[in-house]
Amino acid sequence: MLNTEISARKNDAISRGVGMTTQIYADKAENSEIWDVEGRRYIDFAGGIAVLNTGHRHPKVVDAVKKQLDRFTHTCHQVVPYENYVALAERLNTLTPGNFEKKTIFATTGAEAVENAIKIARCATGRSAVIAFTGGFHGRTFMGMALTGKVVPYKVGFGPMMGDVFHVPFPLELHGISVETSLDVLDKLFKADVDPKRVAAIIVEPVQGEGGFYDVPRALMKALREICDAHGILLVADEVQTGFARTGKLFAMEHYDVQPDLITMAKSLAGGFPLSAVTGRAELMDAPGPGGLGGTYAGNPLAIAAAHAVLDVIEEEKLIDRANHLGARLKQRLESLRAEFPQIIDIRGPGFMNAVEFGVPGTDRPNADFTNAVRVKALEKGLILLTCGVYSNVIRFLAPITIQDEVFNEALDIIEASIRDVAA
Ligand code: PMP
């Protein structure tokens, strides 16, 4: 089968609303490599959008899922519960930041985790308003979409949005938006638009994912916690993209001296199986009445089994240390190109949650064309890259943290060669 043939069928059969980064159809995958239906090999620096911190088909994950597959695949935890669901909740209650009593629920997607976090926050506070950040991404469901701080393509044609959602500018020192500006706008919001006593939650990604891999400055996180405490608002950390060793800590919130009340997680939690979770203060998590939370597939046993294996692998293979090591090497290689290529305006990111941002030399304009050209060139050379950022001028790197050294070196060479080719 040819990629082009399947693509033509796809165009006839699937809504164009499902956007495509590549048109290579997967045949098989192993750790950090994918082979397409034509037998061509690619290095995967997308990781299924931050899902594969432990790589494709990690043997321990595969083994755990196979064992579960042979026992049962679905009962619905709300009907006939199973122990590994409870055990995973216990693990997350212990592993997540926050030295207070916690409880957990499971769902299936990141967007559902966000929906549930807001439901819990509203129920626990008796308030309705929610504050999020420009450039933030929280999913494609109605609340997720309303919270997301980017109109094109996420909100176009889907209105009206959920009410009582407000956005504050995310601080971007690189682009002249300071922490003071963000906090000033938040203050004005409280004066002009919403009584802080009506605000249930402030939701923030510790490192914006889709928005461009910008991390929350420490001063902002500290101020958010103080503002939340002053007004009885809950702080929700959306760790869907940042969690599970990506940032060089198990959770990105560990980089801050601040504890969130609720944490949403998904993606790399279950290494390729659909699973998400909300973990938070026990008393908040218990606010909704029985039956108010859950879902038919929420906490599917195969995905739960995979998640246990993922947590084991992160620990056994010291993936937190490995993330810091790989990220340092990637940033070093990119830094070595900075002097030669004025298009590179920033290289950043904690741990292995790294990105390079491109601008038009001699201006302060974002360079989406250059960014996309590098992505396309890298794909031609056998490396799958993802872009991000409100102006699509950032390449983000989401390779498996389990990537082998020789494959990683090969990828670094392709990144360099692609930038060289496009700049030439
Ligand atoms: N929150 C964040 C921070 C995300 O990065 C994403 C997905 N990119 C989501 C929520 C939504 O997750 P899902 O696509 O699994 O619904």
Side-chain angles (χ1 to χ4, degrees), residues 30 33 66 85 101 173 265 348:
E30 204 68 50
E33 294 161 285
K66 276 186 179 159
Y85 182 116
E101 204 191 324
E173 294 289 350
M265 49 202 126
R348 59 174 172 265

Side-chain angles (χ1 to χ4, degrees), residues 168-173 176-188 220:
V168 170
F170 189 87
L172 299 174
E173 294 289 350
I177 307 171
S178 64
V179 169
E180 290 69 36
T181 304
S182 297
L183 291 173
D184 193 40
V185 173
L186 182 57
D187 192 49
K188 289 200 170 72
L220 181 80

Side-chain angles (χ1 to χ4, degrees), residues 229-260:
D229 290 343
H231 300 290
I233 300 169
L234 303 180
L235 184 60
V236 181
D238 185 346
E239 292 245 21
V240 166
Q241 190 151 167
T242 52
F244 305 100
R246 175 55 54 185
T247 69
K249 302 266 187 195
L250 191 58
F251 293 98
M253 284 305 291
E254 293 169 43
H255 291 285
Y256 301 90
D257 296 329
V258 158
Q259 296 175 346

Side-chain angles (χ1 to χ4, degrees), residues 49 108-112 114 137-140 205 207 209-210 238-242 264 266-267 396:
I49 319 187
T108 310
T109 66
E112 278 179 286
V114 169
F137 183 85
H138 300 287
R140 289 183 171 84
E205 295 160 86
V207 184
E210 305 304 311
D238 185 346
E239 292 245 21
V240 166
Q241 190 151 167
T242 52
T264 53
K267 292 194 187 271
R396 56 174 154 170

Side-chain angles (χ1 to χ4, degrees), residues 129-150:
V130 190
I131 294 170
F133 286 87
T134 55
F137 183 85
H138 300 287
R140 289 183 171 84
T141 52
F142 265 98
M143 185 47 96
M145 181 169 63
L147 293 171
T148 290
K150 182 176 175 181

